[in-house]
Amino acid sequence: MSNVVSQVVYRPARRHPDRPAVITRTGEVFSYAQAAEAVGQLAWHLRTQGIRPGQVVGVSMSGHSLHLLTLLALAQVGAVSLPLHPAAPAERRLLAARTFGATCVVSESRDLALAGLTFIGLDRSEFRSDGPSDRDVHPTSPDDPMHIMVSSGTSGDPKAMVWTHGNVARRNQTFEPGGDSLKRVLQMDLNFFVGFGPALRALAHADALVFPMSPSAEHVLLTLITQKITHAYLSPHQASLLAGLVGANVANACPDLVSLRVVGERLNAQQLQALRRRLTPNVYVAYGAVEAGVATLATPDMLERHPETVGAPSAWAEVQVIDAAGAPVPAGTVGEIRIRSTQQVSGYHLDEARTQARFRDGWFHPNDRGHVDAEGLLYIEGRVDDMINVGGAMVDAEDVERTLCAHPAVREAGAFVHARADGQAFLSAALVLADAGRLAEVQAYAQAKLGPLAPVHYVLASALPRTATGKIQRRLLAAAFPPTRADAASPRRPAV
């Protein structure tokens, strides 16, 4: 029997019944024995509501402990969970449900019900220590689907991948930095790979999962400190918000952190320096994809020597940089990155065309560009599809953003294209500045560093549009920051 629930719930409950498994956002502690009982009760409830093996079930929940236990209960009964993020518009949730075959929606809130789908409500008060429970774990094979993971969609339409029980079991066999001591893990949003994957792995190793009171930076920082978190997962944006709350005069605010893993996007040197000084020196930078798992990991020692690297390949992954003909290139040469991993999914769910484009000859192509140095460390240069055509010149949007963010006054930067009244494109940048009075200084800096590739138009913003995992939604910038009529008529490069 390969059902993941046996690995992450019932086996730890037998071996370590009194160990803390889940610490809820209100501070309530569930031991592994209690967590197993809660999963059994939820499984009983779901079965009585008609959930059957193989059924696709939409889950609209907000990333707290009941959300996790519900996902485990669905796996126990052999159902396939499909995340329908509660922050997404109803139309988008309904489209995902219909596209991927969900027949019902599970949630605590009836406000998240969808037209035409059965709604199954969850009321915490119904799940008591003496309530009915079902420990029957549906037998599965390694190839049986467990979860449909949907990407955040920053590089186009959202993509869906099926995690099988075998795929999840393989990912759970990997270990986190920090030795064999018991871990207290703070993960990201369970609706995404960067949250659900680490949560399952922590349970498989009988560690404790800790949920903050809310996803706000203030509550996350409070949880890191008061709950003595040893392992945390954050996006660069989230981590930078926390470092900003701590302030420049505080050092090592989270002394219990053995591993602060930054995922989703690259850190720039300024962000990395602030995190290492203010939060913890134990910063790790991971690079990978939902499709292939964590492909590389940069350790604190690597980042000390090479702040821009995303590290060396993981033990279960092979990473190559190739040219247009598909041949590996020498160290230092920029090319397209491809990944081959034992944690790799087989393709995109119900999307053969996209599968053939991105999964080729056993390799996954994440559409990233980069290079490998003489030590075998990987560096990301940008995305293949982030090259912007501006008047015939190909501009790397991520390189522009990275250059702007290197200025100490710039907190966030997003590069995008505007069009003049005559249709001619020009490069713009949206900036979040620590001091708006330094805009001219930033413009001069960009001109000196980027020359003719520097933006010709700048807008100031309080925040940039981001996904739930913290990635800049670059394709929304032009609509979010439209040019003035004068800008569109004749944009000019700032005088410097």
Side-chain angles (χ1 to χ4, degrees):
M1 180 170 63
S2 304
N3 195 304
V4 164
V5 173
S6 296
Q7 181 189 45
V8 303
V9 177
Y10 294 118
R11 187 184 305 162
R14 290 193 300 270
R15 295 176 177 176
H16 312 286
D18 297 326
R19 274 191 192 176
V22 173
I23 300 175
T24 72
R25 56 188 178 186
T26 60
E28 184 180 4
V29 178
F30 279 72
S31 69
Y32 269 89
Q34 291 171 321
E37 182 63 24
V39 171
Q41 290 186 10
L42 284 163
W44 179 89
H45 176 69
L46 293 169
R47 279 180 168 133
T48 61
Q49 296 298 309
I51 301 299
R52 296 293 179 261
Q55 183 176 351
V56 179
V57 178
V59 181
S60 282
M61 303 181 76
S62 56
H64 47 71
S65 52
L66 184 58
H67 185 180
L68 174 66
L69 299 174
T70 300
L71 293 173
L72 294 172
L74 285 167
Q76 175 175 326
V77 304
V80 183
S81 51
L82 170 70
L84 302 174
H85 203 296
E91 294 81 3
R92 188 174 180 85
R93 287 184 278 117
L94 183 58
L95 175 62
R98 288 176 172 169
T99 299
F100 302 119
T103 56
C104 60
V105 176
V106 173
S107 180
E108 294 174 281
S109 172
R110 181 161 285 279
D111 291 341
L112 295 170
L114 294 174
L117 275 69
T118 301
F119 179 78
I120 299 176
L122 298 177
D123 186 343
R124 286 175 181 267
S125 64
E126 294 179 358
F127 303 105
R128 311 177 308 275
S129 59
D130 59 346
S133 179
D134 187 345
R135 294 293 186 94
D136 180 30
V137 178
H138 180 74
T140 59
S141 74
D143 294 330
D144 285 341
M146 170 191 160
H147 188 73
I148 299 175
M149 185 59 69
V150 182
S151 76
S152 53
T154 56
S155 56
D157 294 333
K159 305 175 288 289
M161 292 133 277
V162 173
W163 279 8
T164 66
H165 283 264
N167 183 269
V168 173
R170 287 191 296 274
R171 294 187 183 216
N172 287 347
Q173 292 171 3
T174 61
F175 287 85
E176 290 295 306
D180 297 327
S181 59
L182 296 181
K183 304 173 183 64
R184 295 169 73 86
V185 181
L186 185 146
Q187 73 292 318
M188 296 172 67
D189 191 334
L190 293 172
N191 286 289
F192 299 105
F193 156 74
V194 292
F196 190 39
L200 291 175
R201 183 166 57 245
L203 293 176
H205 294 286
D207 296 321
L209 284 172
V210 185
F211 292 83
M213 188 178 300
S214 81
S216 72
E218 291 82 2
H219 283 151
V220 170
L221 181 60
L222 181 66
T223 301
L224 287 172
I225 296 171
T226 61
Q227 292 290 346
K228 300 183 182 300
I229 299 299
T230 62
H231 292 69
Y233 295 77
L234 298 172
S235 71
H237 179 61
Q238 291 171 313
S240 295
L241 289 176
L242 266 59
L245 288 175
V246 169
N249 297 324
V250 177
N252 197 19
C254 304
D256 297 291
L257 265 179
V258 174
S259 170
L260 171 55
R261 182 177 288 197
V262 181
V263 297
E265 287 185 309
R266 284 183 303 163
L267 287 169
N268 60 50
Q270 183 179 337
Q271 290 173 315
L272 177 62
Q273 182 182 25
L275 292 182
R276 294 179 62 134
R277 184 178 65 250
R278 300 179 190 180
L279 295 183
T280 175
N282 303 315
V283 177
Y284 292 76
V285 173
Y287 167 72
V290 182
E291 295 88 339
V294 176
T296 68
L297 184 68
T299 65
D301 177 65
M302 293 176 188
L303 294 169
E304 181 70 31
R305 293 181 288 112
H306 306 288
E308 298 293 332
T309 187
V310 293
S314 304
W316 51 85
E318 185 179 357
V319 179
Q320 289 185 349
V321 178
I322 59 173
D323 60 19
V329 300
T333 303
V334 176
E336 181 190 353
I337 296 169
R338 66 181 181 184
I339 303 167
R340 184 160 55 192
S341 166
T342 60
Q343 300 183 359
Q344 200 162 296
V345 298
S346 59
Y348 294 114
H349 188 44
L350 305 179
D351 194 338
E352 186 59 30
R354 184 173 271 161
T355 296
Q356 292 182 5
R358 301 287 288 276
F359 293 84
R360 303 195 298 272
D361 301 321
W363 294 87
F364 169 66
H365 295 251
N367 268 0
D368 290 328
R369 297 180 301 110
H371 75 273
V372 175
D373 68 11
E375 295 183 41
L377 302 181
L378 181 66
Y379 298 76
I380 308 300
E381 300 292 341
R383 288 190 58 79
V384 173
D385 49 7
D386 274 349
M387 300 299 291
I388 299 175
N389 190 333
V390 184
M394 298 306 294
V395 179
D396 185 342
E398 191 166 335
D399 183 53
V400 172
E401 293 164 357
R402 185 167 61 250
T403 300
L404 290 169
C405 285
H407 191 283
V410 179
R411 289 178 174 166
E412 301 178 47
F416 59 102
V417 173
H418 272 143
R420 291 191 325 201
D422 62 3
Q424 182 66 39
F426 63 94
L427 187 63
S428 298
L431 301 176
V432 178
L433 298 182
D435 180 358
R438 300 180 69 180
L439 175 59
E441 180 185 333
V442 173
Q443 293 171 335
Y445 174 84
Q447 182 65 33
K449 293 291 185 180
L450 295 169
L453 300 183
V456 300
H457 177 67
Y458 293 81
V459 293
L460 298 183
S462 57
L464 301 184
R466 292 181 179 271
T467 68
T469 55
K471 294 182 180 180
I472 294 175
Q473 293 182 297
R474 196 175 288 113
R475 60 192 176 88
L476 300 183
L477 289 174
F481 306 106
T484 65
R485 186 170 300 177
D487 292 331
S490 182
R492 298 185 182 277
R493 191 174 301 282
V496 295

